[in-house]
Each structure stands twice: as C-alpha cells, then as structure tokens.
Amino acid sequence: EAQVTQNPRYLITVTGKKLTVTCSQNMNHEYMSWYRQDPGLGLRQIYYSMNVEVTDKGDVPEGYKVSRKEKRNFPLILESPSPNQTSLYFCASRGYGEQYFGPGTRLTVT
Amino acid sequence: AQSVTQLDSQVPVFEEAPVELRCNYSSSVSVYLFWYVQYPNQGLQLLLKYLSGSTLVKGINGFEAEFNKSQTSFHLRKPSVHISDTAEYFCAVTNSGGYQKVTFGTGTKLQVIP
C-alpha cells in the first residue's frame, strides 16, 4: 500500500529542546515536502526536496532544517523550538500530478 | 508566482441541499488543480484533480469540480450533501510540468446541518 508515515503523531516539548520529526514514503518519489497547518492560514510549505541531497526553502523555513540522505526519508529538524512553532505538521510525497500526505504530527512547544 | 483564493472560510448548508465551494487561482502558466478534504483530526485526502482534458472532473464521494480557464476558477460542487461531508476543504494549484511547488488555499469549512 502506498503511504507516507510520520513519527511521532503527537509531541509536547519545551522551548529550546531539539527535536526531529521523521517522514518516510514507500512510493520511490523524488519530490517530498514539509508543510505546517495553522487555523485560517491553510497549509504553508516549510521545505521541499527534489531528490537526494537536493533541498530548498519553502514559504516559511525560519527555525527549521531538513535533510535528504535517502530517497525514502525526509526528516524535519527543529534545532531550538519556540512556541510559535506550535502547529500541525504534514509531510508529503509527490508523484505525477498528485501529492500523498502523511497523517500529521501535532507539535506543542511550551 | 501562483496563488489560490478560497473566499468562503465557512459554509453552512442543510443536509441533502446542494453546495458549491469556491476556488480562484492565479498563475501565469498552465496549471494543475486539486481539491483535498480534511476530516476532523485527520490528514488530507485527495478529492479530485484536474491535470488536462475534460474541464469537468469527478471525484470521490459524489463531488465534482469544473475548471474554468477564462475565470481562473475551480469550484467544487456536490448536488446533495450528507452529514459525513462535514470537513474542511482545501483547493491547491501547481504549475504543470515537472515537480513544481503546490500552493494551498486557506480552506473552507463545510458544516452540514441536520
């Protein structure tokens, strides 16, 4: 079954404590993205990757890092989380004409 | 640069009534268009997509949308809604050809009233 998995699904952390949200896809897609969803703002792209070792900033990259060492994995790293990064995060993997989304990670930074 | 506008943030509608959720986009090149649905506390699911061909696109759960290039619109319609259609709906656009960025609208919450 084609799918995008994310872990963890829920995370509560404190300001400044580094965290990583993992994302993995089993469709051999080259293009992957991270989005954050906030009420009234829709989904905004944080970072995207066109292929292994090829990443670029989206609309709201500040405070985030990504890496793409393998085709299937695209982790999102928050080096020093702050409360304004409290949000719902989605990883997506894109095939021809369609994006497949992970189930989401709800992050709370206190 | 591309953009998507969903003018209605909330749309209340009675059960079994028809509904239209509006989406307008802006792009200087050819586009692909999508509608996604997000049920409460769930991820995003693709409802339908327009890539090329017929401008009337049929999707899952009885939804359809029509691509209107002259009006740069891609409105979503359903002739008779059910309680289970209560969800948030997102329109999205990307430039056609290659792996281009996908831009989402701010979403429309559909509330179906019994």
Side-chain angles (χ1 to χ4, degrees):
Chain A
E1 178 190 356
Q3 62 178 355
V4 178
T5 57
Q6 292 178 230
N7 282 292
R9 295 290 311 280
Y10 301 91
L11 180 59
I12 300 174
T13 190
V14 297
T15 299
K17 185 176 182 181
K18 180 180 179 179
L19 65 91
T20 299
V21 183
T22 64
C23 172
S24 183
Q25 51 98 358
N26 64 358
M27 294 165 279
N28 203 36
H29 289 160
E30 294 178 343
Y31 189 99
M32 298 183 72
S33 294
W34 275 103
Y35 295 88
R36 61 178 288 172
Q37 182 182 11
D38 301 290
L41 298 177
L43 278 81
R44 295 177 293 168
Q45 191 180 51
I46 302 170
Y47 268 94
Y48 65 95
S49 170
M50 301 283 279
N51 211 328
V52 175
E53 301 293 0
V54 181
T55 63
D56 205 350
K57 298 177 181 178
D59 297 317
V60 288
E62 293 77 21
Y64 304 94
K65 285 176 58 178
V66 293
S67 69
R68 188 91 181 273
K69 293 183 174 15
E70 304 168 277
K71 201 171 189 179
R72 64 183 292 123
N73 296 323
F74 189 44
L76 179 70
I77 303 157
L78 284 72
E79 295 269 3
S80 183
S82 62
N84 64 13
Q85 293 178 297
T86 292
S87 187
L88 179 58
Y89 292 86
F90 288 101
C91 179
S93 168
R94 183 170 174 185
Y96 173 70
E98 181 177 343
Q99 283 200 118
Y100 297 82
F101 284 87
T105 296
R106 188 167 292 281
L107 172 64
T108 301
V109 184
T110 61
Chain B
Q2 61 201 22
S3 65
V4 177
T5 302
Q6 293 181 248
L7 286 173
D8 305 307
S9 59
Q10 295 191 51
V11 173
V13 62
F14 286 104
E15 193 173 16
E16 297 184 7
V19 69
E20 178 180 85
L21 305 184
R22 298 181 293 168
C23 172
N24 288 90
Y25 70 92
S26 171
S27 175
S28 58
V29 298
S30 297
V31 296
Y32 294 158
L33 293 154
F34 309 87
W35 275 100
Y36 288 86
V37 60
Q38 185 178 33
Y39 298 105
N41 299 314
Q42 294 191 26
L44 280 86
Q45 180 182 4
L46 182 68
L47 264 183
L48 49 81
K49 60 186 177 186
Y50 170 79
L51 303 182
S52 65
S54 173
T55 57
L56 182 63
V57 180
K58 295 190 183 298
I60 61 172
N61 300 340
F63 283 92
E64 64 179 33
E66 186 157 18
F67 171 54
N68 187 319
K69 188 175 182 180
S70 62
Q71 297 188 5
T72 61
S73 67
F74 191 55
H75 301 332
L76 181 70
R77 302 185 182 97
K78 186 170 184 178
S80 175
V81 296
H82 304 287
I83 293 289
S84 59
D85 293 323
T86 295
E88 189 159 20
Y89 294 79
F90 293 93
C91 182
V93 65
T94 184
N95 293 337
S96 63
Y99 293 98
Q100 305 295 325
K101 175 186 172 183
V102 179
T103 300
F104 284 81
T106 52
T108 298
K109 290 184 179 176
L110 175 63
Q111 182 185 5
V112 180
I113 305 164

